[in-house]
Amino acid sequence: MPYHITAILSVALLAACGTDAPVDRSVPASRDGLVVIEMTDDMTFAPDTITAAVGDTIVWVNRGDLPHTATARADFLPLEQLPSSAESWDSGLMDADAEFRIVVQAKGEYRYVCTLHQAAGMVAHFRVK
């Protein structure tokens, strides 16, 4: 095999190996300060991890036919989590195409659930920097 092809294959193999370093797969907030999270009938929040800034608006939209909630209560650890200075929220039941919004006011880690489907794994989180 010619040298240049061997070198190219070696570089490709090394790149494919990756590292053990954690990768931040969170979706950054949009530039206009509006982040949309879709709720689906396959019991997911999409994206399930985001990074936002203080003052950003987070909007949950139910794209499925099943009702869902977006809920974070400080007294429901460990599934739900809020920074100590953040207020709890609960969207209530959201039918198809319903929207719920919050404006984040505190830095920290937030973990929230769909109260109807948390046992099915409908749990997500976001970080506010």
Side-chain angles (χ1 to χ4, degrees):
M1 184 177 301
Y3 175 76
H4 67 281
I5 293 176
T6 304
I8 291 170
L9 289 174
S10 297
V11 170
L13 284 173
L14 286 173
C17 290
T19 67
D20 290 336
V23 177
D24 182 5
R25 299 192 192 293
S26 64
V27 176
S30 63
R31 292 178 191 239
D32 61 3
L34 182 69
V35 179
V36 176
I37 299 171
E38 295 182 342
M39 307 153 88
T40 67
D41 285 347
D42 62 352
M43 309 309 166
T44 61
F45 293 101
D48 65 352
T49 304
I50 62 167
T51 301
V54 170
D56 283 354
T57 299
I58 300 178
V59 181
W60 286 268
V61 181
N62 186 354
R63 297 289 187 214
D65 294 321
L66 298 173
H68 294 292
T69 75
T71 306
R73 300 163 291 191
D75 52 345
F76 280 78
L77 288 170
L79 281 180
E80 299 169 45
Q81 173 185 340
L82 294 165
S84 60
S85 60
E87 294 185 23
S88 297
W89 77 81
D90 183 4
S91 65
L93 289 180
M94 296 173 58
D95 291 323
D97 298 321
E99 293 185 5
F100 174 72
R101 297 171 180 253
I102 66 166
V103 176
V104 289
Q105 299 296 330
K107 292 181 180 181
E109 299 289 326
Y110 294 73
R111 188 172 29 238
Y112 61 94
V113 302
C114 170
T115 58
L116 301 174
H117 304 114
Q118 65 189 13
M122 197 165 179
V123 178
H125 71 279
F126 60 89
R127 174 179 300 125
V128 176
K129 293 183 176 185

PDB file of all heavy atoms in Angstrom, residues 78-115:
ATOM      1  N   PRO A  78     -34.516  12.923  44.246  1.00  0.00           N
ATOM      2  CA  PRO A  78     -33.449  13.339  43.347  1.00  0.00           C
ATOM      3  C   PRO A  78     -33.906  13.525  41.901  1.00  0.00           C
ATOM      4  O   PRO A  78     -33.139  14.008  41.087  1.00  0.00           O
ATOM      5  CB  PRO A  78     -32.457  12.188  43.434  1.00  0.00           C
ATOM      6  CG  PRO A  78     -33.310  10.981  43.621  1.00  0.00           C
ATOM      7  CD  PRO A  78     -34.480  11.463  44.460  1.00  0.00           C
ATOM      8  N   LEU A  79     -35.132  13.129  41.549  1.00  0.00           N
ATOM      9  CA  LEU A  79     -35.552  13.254  40.149  1.00  0.00           C
ATOM     10  C   LEU A  79     -35.675  14.694  39.699  1.00  0.00           C
ATOM     11  O   LEU A  79     -35.394  15.011  38.552  1.00  0.00           O
ATOM     12  CB  LEU A  79     -36.879  12.541  39.906  1.00  0.00           C
ATOM     13  CG  LEU A  79     -36.788  11.030  39.750  1.00  0.00           C
ATOM     14  CD1 LEU A  79     -38.163  10.436  39.520  1.00  0.00           C
ATOM     15  CD2 LEU A  79     -35.850  10.651  38.620  1.00  0.00           C
ATOM     16  N   GLU A  80     -36.144  15.560  40.570  1.00  0.00           N
ATOM     17  CA  GLU A  80     -36.293  16.967  40.216  1.00  0.00           C
ATOM     18  C   GLU A  80     -35.293  17.763  41.043  1.00  0.00           C
ATOM     19  O   GLU A  80     -35.077  17.465  42.211  1.00  0.00           O
ATOM     20  CB  GLU A  80     -37.722  17.425  40.495  1.00  0.00           C
ATOM     21  CG  GLU A  80     -38.749  16.642  39.676  1.00  0.00           C
ATOM     22  CD  GLU A  80     -40.179  16.877  40.128  1.00  0.00           C
ATOM     23  OE1 GLU A  80     -40.548  18.041  40.368  1.00  0.00           O
ATOM     24  OE2 GLU A  80     -40.915  15.888  40.234  1.00  0.00           O
ATOM     25  N   GLN A  81     -34.700  18.763  40.420  1.00  0.00           N
ATOM     26  CA  GLN A  81     -33.665  19.540  41.095  1.00  0.00           C
ATOM     27  C   GLN A  81     -33.699  20.973  40.597  1.00  0.00           C
ATOM     28  O   GLN A  81     -33.893  21.218  39.408  1.00  0.00           O
ATOM     29  CB  GLN A  81     -32.308  18.926  40.794  1.00  0.00           C
ATOM     30  CG  GLN A  81     -31.137  19.724  41.289  1.00  0.00           C
ATOM     31  CD  GLN A  81     -29.812  19.118  40.838  1.00  0.00           C
ATOM     32  OE1 GLN A  81     -29.735  17.950  40.488  1.00  0.00           O
ATOM     33  NE2 GLN A  81     -28.781  19.931  40.839  1.00  0.00           N
ATOM     34  N   LEU A  82     -33.502  21.898  41.522  1.00  0.00           N
ATOM     35  CA  LEU A  82     -33.424  23.316  41.189  1.00  0.00           C
ATOM     36  C   LEU A  82     -32.288  23.951  41.968  1.00  0.00           C
ATOM     37  O   LEU A  82     -31.990  23.519  43.086  1.00  0.00           O
ATOM     38  CB  LEU A  82     -34.727  24.026  41.584  1.00  0.00           C
ATOM     39  CG  LEU A  82     -35.989  23.637  40.837  1.00  0.00           C
ATOM     40  CD1 LEU A  82     -37.218  24.144  41.581  1.00  0.00           C
ATOM     41  CD2 LEU A  82     -35.956  24.200  39.438  1.00  0.00           C
ATOM     42  N   PRO A  83     -31.673  25.001  41.436  1.00  0.00           N
ATOM     43  CA  PRO A  83     -30.746  25.780  42.263  1.00  0.00           C
ATOM     44  C   PRO A  83     -31.507  26.349  43.459  1.00  0.00           C
ATOM     45  O   PRO A  83     -32.723  26.582  43.384  1.00  0.00           O
ATOM     46  CB  PRO A  83     -30.287  26.894  41.324  1.00  0.00           C
ATOM     47  CG  PRO A  83     -30.552  26.387  39.950  1.00  0.00           C
ATOM     48  CD  PRO A  83     -31.767  25.522  40.072  1.00  0.00           C
ATOM     49  N   SER A  84     -30.822  26.601  44.554  1.00  0.00           N
ATOM     50  CA  SER A  84     -31.499  27.044  45.774  1.00  0.00           C
ATOM     51  C   SER A  84     -32.275  28.346  45.598  1.00  0.00           C
ATOM     52  O   SER A  84     -33.277  28.572  46.274  1.00  0.00           O
ATOM     53  CB  SER A  84     -30.496  27.185  46.913  1.00  0.00           C
ATOM     54  OG  SER A  84     -29.503  28.134  46.574  1.00  0.00           O
ATOM     55  N   SER A  85     -31.859  29.189  44.669  1.00  0.00           N
ATOM     56  CA  SER A  85     -32.554  30.469  44.484  1.00  0.00           C
ATOM     57  C   SER A  85     -33.622  30.432  43.386  1.00  0.00           C
ATOM     58  O   SER A  85     -34.262  31.444  43.110  1.00  0.00           O
ATOM     59  CB  SER A  85     -31.537  31.568  44.172  1.00  0.00           C
ATOM     60  OG  SER A  85     -30.831  31.247  42.988  1.00  0.00           O
ATOM     61  N   ALA A  86     -33.834  29.267  42.763  1.00  0.00           N
ATOM     62  CA  ALA A  86     -34.825  29.157  41.681  1.00  0.00           C
ATOM     63  C   ALA A  86     -36.185  28.741  42.243  1.00  0.00           C
ATOM     64  O   ALA A  86     -36.271  28.061  43.261  1.00  0.00           O
ATOM     65  CB  ALA A  86     -34.367  28.147  40.641  1.00  0.00           C
ATOM     66  N   GLU A  87     -37.233  29.149  41.558  1.00  0.00           N
ATOM     67  CA  GLU A  87     -38.587  28.791  41.962  1.00  0.00           C
ATOM     68  C   GLU A  87     -39.047  27.540  41.225  1.00  0.00           C
ATOM     69  O   GLU A  87     -38.703  27.318  40.066  1.00  0.00           O
ATOM     70  CB  GLU A  87     -39.547  29.944  41.652  1.00  0.00           C
ATOM     71  CG  GLU A  87     -39.291  31.175  42.474  1.00  0.00           C
ATOM     72  CD  GLU A  87     -40.322  32.266  42.239  1.00  0.00           C
ATOM     73  OE1 GLU A  87     -41.439  31.944  41.808  1.00  0.00           O
ATOM     74  OE2 GLU A  87     -39.987  33.429  42.491  1.00  0.00           O
ATOM     75  N   SER A  88     -39.855  26.734  41.919  1.00  0.00           N
ATOM     76  CA  SER A  88     -40.445  25.547  41.312  1.00  0.00           C
ATOM     77  C   SER A  88     -41.389  25.953  40.194  1.00  0.00           C
ATOM     78  O   SER A  88     -41.885  27.073  40.164  1.00  0.00           O
ATOM     79  CB  SER A  88     -41.236  24.764  42.364  1.00  0.00           C
ATOM     80  OG  SER A  88     -40.397  24.298  43.386  1.00  0.00           O
ATOM     81  N   TRP A  89     -41.634  25.023  39.271  1.00  0.00           N
ATOM     82  CA  TRP A  89     -42.641  25.260  38.243  1.00  0.00           C
ATOM     83  C   TRP A  89     -43.345  23.961  37.895  1.00  0.00           C
ATOM     84  O   TRP A  89     -42.806  22.875  38.083  1.00  0.00           O
ATOM     85  CB  TRP A  89     -42.046  25.903  36.994  1.00  0.00           C
ATOM     86  CG  TRP A  89     -41.285  24.969  36.100  1.00  0.00           C
ATOM     87  CD1 TRP A  89     -41.805  24.116  35.178  1.00  0.00           C
ATOM     88  CD2 TRP A  89     -39.875  24.779  36.048  1.00  0.00           C
ATOM     89  NE1 TRP A  89     -40.810  23.416  34.551  1.00  0.00           N
ATOM     90  CE2 TRP A  89     -39.612  23.800  35.070  1.00  0.00           C
ATOM     91  CE3 TRP A  89     -38.808  25.348  36.727  1.00  0.00           C
ATOM     92  CZ2 TRP A  89     -38.329  23.381  34.767  1.00  0.00           C
ATOM     93  CZ3 TRP A  89     -37.544  24.920  36.416  1.00  0.00           C
ATOM     94  CH2 TRP A  89     -37.311  23.965  35.454  1.00  0.00           C
ATOM     95  N   ASP A  90     -44.559  24.092  37.403  1.00  0.00           N
ATOM     96  CA  ASP A  90     -45.340  22.953  36.921  1.00  0.00           C
ATOM     97  C   ASP A  90     -46.251  23.461  35.819  1.00  0.00           C
ATOM     98  O   ASP A  90     -47.094  24.327  36.050  1.00  0.00           O
ATOM     99  CB  ASP A  90     -46.155  22.329  38.051  1.00  0.00           C
ATOM    100  CG  ASP A  90     -46.928  21.099  37.617  1.00  0.00           C
ATOM    101  OD1 ASP A  90     -46.786  20.658  36.461  1.00  0.00           O
ATOM    102  OD2 ASP A  90     -47.688  20.571  38.441  1.00  0.00           O
ATOM    103  N   SER A  91     -46.083  22.903  34.640  1.00  0.00           N
ATOM    104  CA  SER A  91     -46.871  23.348  33.493  1.00  0.00           C
ATOM    105  C   SER A  91     -48.329  22.934  33.577  1.00  0.00           C
ATOM    106  O   SER A  91     -49.169  23.483  32.869  1.00  0.00           O
ATOM    107  CB  SER A  91     -46.286  22.743  32.216  1.00  0.00           C
ATOM    108  OG  SER A  91     -46.440  21.321  32.242  1.00  0.00           O
ATOM    109  N   GLY A  92     -48.636  21.963  34.438  1.00  0.00           N
ATOM    110  CA  GLY A  92     -49.958  21.356  34.391  1.00  0.00           C
ATOM    111  C   GLY A  92     -50.038  20.474  33.154  1.00  0.00           C
ATOM    112  O   GLY A  92     -49.078  20.361  32.391  1.00  0.00           O
ATOM    113  N   LEU A  93     -51.161  19.813  32.960  1.00  0.00           N
ATOM    114  CA  LEU A  93     -51.303  18.936  31.797  1.00  0.00           C
ATOM    115  C   LEU A  93     -51.273  19.746  30.513  1.00  0.00           C
ATOM    116  O   LEU A  93     -52.007  20.716  30.366  1.00  0.00           O
ATOM    117  CB  LEU A  93     -52.608  18.145  31.873  1.00  0.00           C
ATOM    118  CG  LEU A  93     -52.671  17.062  32.932  1.00  0.00           C
ATOM    119  CD1 LEU A  93     -54.026  16.378  32.891  1.00  0.00           C
ATOM    120  CD2 LEU A  93     -51.549  16.061  32.767  1.00  0.00           C
ATOM    121  N   MET A  94     -50.434  19.320  29.611  1.00  0.00           N
ATOM    122  CA  MET A  94     -50.294  19.989  28.309  1.00  0.00           C
ATOM    123  C   MET A  94     -50.773  19.027  27.227  1.00  0.00           C
ATOM    124  O   MET A  94     -50.167  17.979  27.019  1.00  0.00           O
ATOM    125  CB  MET A  94     -48.838  20.374  28.063  1.00  0.00           C
ATOM    126  CG  MET A  94     -48.301  21.396  29.035  1.00  0.00           C
ATOM    127  SD  MET A  94     -46.515  21.668  28.837  1.00  0.00           S
ATOM    128  CE  MET A  94     -46.404  22.178  27.132  1.00  0.00           C
ATOM    129  N   ASP A  95     -51.840  19.366  26.557  1.00  0.00           N
ATOM    130  CA  ASP A  95     -52.331  18.563  25.447  1.00  0.00           C
ATOM    131  C   ASP A  95     -51.507  18.853  24.194  1.00  0.00           C
ATOM    132  O   ASP A  95     -50.605  19.694  24.215  1.00  0.00           O
ATOM    133  CB  ASP A  95     -53.814  18.859  25.195  1.00  0.00           C
ATOM    134  CG  ASP A  95     -54.699  18.343  26.320  1.00  0.00           C
ATOM    135  OD1 ASP A  95     -54.391  17.254  26.856  1.00  0.00           O
ATOM    136  OD2 ASP A  95     -55.684  19.016  26.667  1.00  0.00           O
ATOM    137  N   ALA A  96     -51.824  18.186  23.107  1.00  0.00           N
ATOM    138  CA  ALA A  96     -51.098  18.356  21.847  1.00  0.00           C
ATOM    139  C   ALA A  96     -50.998  19.833  21.463  1.00  0.00           C
ATOM    140  O   ALA A  96     -51.971  20.586  21.586  1.00  0.00           O
ATOM    141  CB  ALA A  96     -51.792  17.573  20.737  1.00  0.00           C
ATOM    142  N   ASP A  97     -49.823  20.236  21.046  1.00  0.00           N
ATOM    143  CA  ASP A  97     -49.494  21.593  20.587  1.00  0.00           C
ATOM    144  C   ASP A  97     -49.516  22.666  21.675  1.00  0.00           C
ATOM    145  O   ASP A  97     -49.311  23.842  21.380  1.00  0.00           O
ATOM    146  CB  ASP A  97     -50.387  22.020  19.415  1.00  0.00           C
ATOM    147  CG  ASP A  97     -50.214  21.124  18.202  1.00  0.00           C
ATOM    148  OD1 ASP A  97     -49.060  20.735  17.923  1.00  0.00           O
ATOM    149  OD2 ASP A  97     -51.217  20.797  17.555  1.00  0.00           O
ATOM    150  N   ALA A  98     -49.745  22.288  22.921  1.00  0.00           N
ATOM    151  CA  ALA A  98     -49.711  23.258  24.019  1.00  0.00           C
ATOM    152  C   ALA A  98     -48.270  23.687  24.288  1.00  0.00           C
ATOM    153  O   ALA A  98     -47.321  22.941  24.041  1.00  0.00           O
ATOM    154  CB  ALA A  98     -50.331  22.672  25.274  1.00  0.00           C
ATOM    155  N   GLU A  99     -48.105  24.911  24.805  1.00  0.00           N
ATOM    156  CA  GLU A  99     -46.797  25.451  25.140  1.00  0.00           C
ATOM    157  C   GLU A  99     -46.775  25.919  26.584  1.00  0.00           C
ATOM    158  O   GLU A  99     -47.800  26.342  27.125  1.00  0.00           O
ATOM    159  CB  GLU A  99     -46.458  26.649  24.253  1.00  0.00           C
ATOM    160  CG  GLU A  99     -46.260  26.323  22.808  1.00  0.00           C
ATOM    161  CD  GLU A  99     -45.808  27.530  21.996  1.00  0.00           C
ATOM    162  OE1 GLU A  99     -45.553  28.607  22.572  1.00  0.00           O
ATOM    163  OE2 GLU A  99     -45.704  27.384  20.763  1.00  0.00           O
ATOM    164  N   PHE A 100     -45.596  25.843  27.194  1.00  0.00           N
ATOM    165  CA  PHE A 100     -45.376  26.342  28.544  1.00  0.00           C
ATOM    166  C   PHE A 100     -44.019  27.024  28.551  1.00  0.00           C
ATOM    167  O   PHE A 100     -43.064  26.532  27.961  1.00  0.00           O
ATOM    168  CB  PHE A 100     -45.400  25.185  29.552  1.00  0.00           C
ATOM    169  CG  PHE A 100     -45.032  25.596  30.949  1.00  0.00           C
ATOM    170  CD1 PHE A 100     -45.908  26.346  31.710  1.00  0.00           C
ATOM    171  CD2 PHE A 100     -43.816  25.228  31.489  1.00  0.00           C
ATOM    172  CE1 PHE A 100     -45.572  26.726  33.005  1.00  0.00           C
ATOM    173  CE2 PHE A 100     -43.472  25.595  32.782  1.00  0.00           C
ATOM    174  CZ  PHE A 100     -44.351  26.347  33.539  1.00  0.00           C
ATOM    175  N   ARG A 101     -43.912  28.188  29.205  1.00  0.00           N
ATOM    176  CA  ARG A 101     -42.674  28.973  29.212  1.00  0.00           C
ATOM    177  C   ARG A 101     -42.250  29.340  30.621  1.00  0.00           C
ATOM    178  O   ARG A 101     -43.090  29.613  31.475  1.00  0.00           O
ATOM    179  CB  ARG A 101     -42.874  30.297  28.471  1.00  0.00           C
ATOM    180  CG  ARG A 101     -43.200  30.160  27.037  1.00  0.00           C
ATOM    181  CD  ARG A 101     -43.609  31.513  26.425  1.00  0.00           C
ATOM    182  NE  ARG A 101     -43.909  31.317  25.036  1.00  0.00           N
ATOM    183  CZ  ARG A 101     -43.132  31.726  24.037  1.00  0.00           C
ATOM    184  NH1 ARG A 101     -42.049  32.420  24.286  1.00  0.00           N
ATOM    185  NH2 ARG A 101     -43.457  31.465  22.794  1.00  0.00           N
ATOM    186  N   ILE A 102     -40.938  29.383  30.792  1.00  0.00           N
ATOM    187  CA  ILE A 102     -40.356  29.994  31.981  1.00  0.00           C
ATOM    188  C   ILE A 102     -39.203  30.873  31.529  1.00  0.00           C
ATOM    189  O   ILE A 102     -38.619  30.654  30.467  1.00  0.00           O
ATOM    190  CB  ILE A 102     -39.861  28.963  33.027  1.00  0.00           C
ATOM    191  CG1 ILE A 102     -38.676  28.151  32.478  1.00  0.00           C
ATOM    192  CG2 ILE A 102     -40.985  28.071  33.510  1.00  0.00           C
ATOM    193  CD1 ILE A 102     -37.935  27.364  33.539  1.00  0.00           C
ATOM    194  N   VAL A 103     -38.873  31.860  32.332  1.00  0.00           N
ATOM    195  CA  VAL A 103     -37.672  32.668  32.132  1.00  0.00           C
ATOM    196  C   VAL A 103     -36.745  32.301  33.279  1.00  0.00           C
ATOM    197  O   VAL A 103     -37.109  32.450  34.448  1.00  0.00           O
ATOM    198  CB  VAL A 103     -37.992  34.182  32.132  1.00  0.00           C
ATOM    199  CG1 VAL A 103     -36.707  34.994  32.032  1.00  0.00           C
ATOM    200  CG2 VAL A 103     -38.959  34.521  31.011  1.00  0.00           C
ATOM    201  N   VAL A 104     -35.571  31.787  32.955  1.00  0.00           N
ATOM    202  CA  VAL A 104     -34.662  31.345  34.016  1.00  0.00           C
ATOM    203  C   VAL A 104     -33.968  32.548  34.648  1.00  0.00           C
ATOM    204  O   VAL A 104     -33.486  33.438  33.953  1.00  0.00           O
ATOM    205  CB  VAL A 104     -33.649  30.296  33.512  1.00  0.00           C
ATOM    206  CG1 VAL A 104     -34.347  28.983  33.245  1.00  0.00           C
ATOM    207  CG2 VAL A 104     -32.900  30.752  32.290  1.00  0.00           C
ATOM    208  N   GLN A 105     -33.961  32.549  35.977  1.00  0.00           N
ATOM    209  CA  GLN A 105     -33.424  33.684  36.723  1.00  0.00           C
ATOM    210  C   GLN A 105     -32.232  33.326  37.601  1.00  0.00           C
ATOM    211  O   GLN A 105     -31.658  34.211  38.223  1.00  0.00           O
ATOM    212  CB  GLN A 105     -34.527  34.289  37.610  1.00  0.00           C
ATOM    213  CG  GLN A 105     -35.717  34.805  36.841  1.00  0.00           C
ATOM    214  CD  GLN A 105     -35.362  35.964  35.928  1.00  0.00           C
ATOM    215  OE1 GLN A 105     -34.458  36.750  36.199  1.00  0.00           O
ATOM    216  NE2 GLN A 105     -36.071  36.081  34.814  1.00  0.00           N
ATOM    217  N   ALA A 106     -31.888  32.032  37.674  1.00  0.00           N
ATOM    218  CA  ALA A 106     -30.801  31.622  38.569  1.00  0.00           C
ATOM    219  C   ALA A 106     -29.835  30.691  37.847  1.00  0.00           C
ATOM    220  O   ALA A 106     -30.258  29.809  37.093  1.00  0.00           O
ATOM    221  CB  ALA A 106     -31.376  30.919  39.797  1.00  0.00           C
ATOM    222  N   LYS A 107     -28.547  30.879  38.099  1.00  0.00           N
ATOM    223  CA  LYS A 107     -27.534  29.979  37.552  1.00  0.00           C
ATOM    224  C   LYS A 107     -27.588  28.659  38.304  1.00  0.00           C
ATOM    225  O   LYS A 107     -27.955  28.609  39.481  1.00  0.00           O
ATOM    226  CB  LYS A 107     -26.141  30.590  37.713  1.00  0.00           C
ATOM    227  CG  LYS A 107     -25.913  31.801  36.856  1.00  0.00           C
ATOM    228  CD  LYS A 107     -24.507  32.338  37.052  1.00  0.00           C
ATOM    229  CE  LYS A 107     -24.286  33.563  36.175  1.00  0.00           C
ATOM    230  NZ  LYS A 107     -22.934  34.087  36.311  1.00  0.00           N
ATOM    231  N   GLY A 108     -27.221  27.593  37.596  1.00  0.00           N
ATOM    232  CA  GLY A 108     -27.138  26.291  38.249  1.00  0.00           C
ATOM    233  C   GLY A 108     -27.715  25.177  37.410  1.00  0.00           C
ATOM    234  O   GLY A 108     -28.000  25.339  36.226  1.00  0.00           O
ATOM    235  N   GLU A 109     -27.880  24.027  38.060  1.00  0.00           N
ATOM    236  CA  GLU A 109     -28.387  22.819  37.417  1.00  0.00           C
ATOM    237  C   GLU A 109     -29.874  22.665  37.706  1.00  0.00           C
ATOM    238  O   GLU A 109     -30.313  22.803  38.846  1.00  0.00           O
ATOM    239  CB  GLU A 109     -27.649  21.587  37.946  1.00  0.00           C
ATOM    240  CG  GLU A 109     -26.161  21.589  37.686  1.00  0.00           C
ATOM    241  CD  GLU A 109     -25.820  21.388  36.231  1.00  0.00           C
ATOM    242  OE1 GLU A 109     -26.560  20.651  35.538  1.00  0.00           O
ATOM    243  OE2 GLU A 109     -24.810  21.962  35.781  1.00  0.00           O
ATOM    244  N   TYR A 110     -30.634  22.352  36.667  1.00  0.00           N
ATOM    245  CA  TYR A 110     -32.068  22.128  36.759  1.00  0.00           C
ATOM    246  C   TYR A 110     -32.357  20.727  36.221  1.00  0.00           C
ATOM    247  O   TYR A 110     -31.868  20.361  35.161  1.00  0.00           O
ATOM    248  CB  TYR A 110     -32.843  23.125  35.892  1.00  0.00           C
ATOM    249  CG  TYR A 110     -32.763  24.558  36.326  1.00  0.00           C
ATOM    250  CD1 TYR A 110     -31.602  25.301  36.149  1.00  0.00           C
ATOM    251  CD2 TYR A 110     -33.871  25.187  36.881  1.00  0.00           C
ATOM    252  CE1 TYR A 110     -31.543  26.632  36.524  1.00  0.00           C
ATOM    253  CE2 TYR A 110     -33.825  26.529  37.259  1.00  0.00           C
ATOM    254  CZ  TYR A 110     -32.652  27.232  37.079  1.00  0.00           C
ATOM    255  OH  TYR A 110     -32.608  28.564  37.451  1.00  0.00           O
ATOM    256  N   ARG A 111     -33.146  19.950  36.938  1.00  0.00           N
ATOM    257  CA  ARG A 111     -33.595  18.657  36.438  1.00  0.00           C
ATOM    258  C   ARG A 111     -35.112  18.647  36.565  1.00  0.00           C
ATOM    259  O   ARG A 111     -35.653  18.994  37.612  1.00  0.00           O
ATOM    260  CB  ARG A 111     -32.971  17.526  37.233  1.00  0.00           C
ATOM    261  CG  ARG A 111     -33.249  16.168  36.647  1.00  0.00           C
ATOM    262  CD  ARG A 111     -32.477  15.035  37.313  1.00  0.00           C
ATOM    263  NE  ARG A 111     -32.161  15.267  38.690  1.00  0.00           N
ATOM    264  CZ  ARG A 111     -30.930  15.280  39.211  1.00  0.00           C
ATOM    265  NH1 ARG A 111     -29.896  15.073  38.446  1.00  0.00           N
ATOM    266  NH2 ARG A 111     -30.735  15.499  40.490  1.00  0.00           N
ATOM    267  N   TYR A 112     -35.789  18.255  35.503  1.00  0.00           N
ATOM    268  CA  TYR A 112     -37.247  18.302  35.488  1.00  0.00           C
ATOM    269  C   TYR A 112     -37.808  17.019  34.892  1.00  0.00           C
ATOM    270  O   TYR A 112     -37.073  16.217  34.302  1.00  0.00           O
ATOM    271  CB  TYR A 112     -37.748  19.533  34.733  1.00  0.00           C
ATOM    272  CG  TYR A 112     -37.329  19.570  33.291  1.00  0.00           C
ATOM    273  CD1 TYR A 112     -38.163  19.072  32.295  1.00  0.00           C
ATOM    274  CD2 TYR A 112     -36.101  20.092  32.916  1.00  0.00           C
ATOM    275  CE1 TYR A 112     -37.780  19.098  30.968  1.00  0.00           C
ATOM    276  CE2 TYR A 112     -35.711  20.119  31.597  1.00  0.00           C
ATOM    277  CZ  TYR A 112     -36.553  19.618  30.625  1.00  0.00           C
ATOM    278  OH  TYR A 112     -36.172  19.630  29.313  1.00  0.00           O
ATOM    279  N   VAL A 113     -39.111  16.824  35.050  1.00  0.00           N
ATOM    280  CA  VAL A 113     -39.763  15.587  34.627  1.00  0.00           C
ATOM    281  C   VAL A 113     -41.113  15.886  33.996  1.00  0.00           C
ATOM    282  O   VAL A 113     -41.662  16.974  34.146  1.00  0.00           O
ATOM    283  CB  VAL A 113     -39.996  14.632  35.823  1.00  0.00           C
ATOM    284  CG1 VAL A 113     -38.691  14.286  36.521  1.00  0.00           C
ATOM    285  CG2 VAL A 113     -40.994  15.216  36.820  1.00  0.00           C
ATOM    286  N   CYS A 114     -41.625  14.880  33.317  1.00  0.00           N
ATOM    287  CA  CYS A 114     -43.052  14.829  33.011  1.00  0.00           C
ATOM    288  C   CYS A 114     -43.632  13.997  34.142  1.00  0.00           C
ATOM    289  O   CYS A 114     -43.265  12.829  34.303  1.00  0.00           O
ATOM    290  CB  CYS A 114     -43.311  14.163  31.658  1.00  0.00           C
ATOM    291  SG  CYS A 114     -45.066  13.814  31.385  1.00  0.00           S
ATOM    292  N   THR A 115     -44.490  14.573  34.956  1.00  0.00           N
ATOM    293  CA  THR A 115     -45.009  13.847  36.116  1.00  0.00           C
ATOM    294  C   THR A 115     -45.817  12.620  35.709  1.00  0.00           C
ATOM    295  O   THR A 115     -45.928  11.675  36.489  1.00  0.00           O
ATOM    296  CB  THR A 115     -45.868  14.762  37.010  1.00  0.00           C
ATOM    297  OG1 THR A 115     -46.947  15.298  36.237  1.00  0.00           O
ATOM    298  CG2 THR A 115     -45.041  15.890  37.603  1.00  0.00           C
TER     299      THR A 115
END
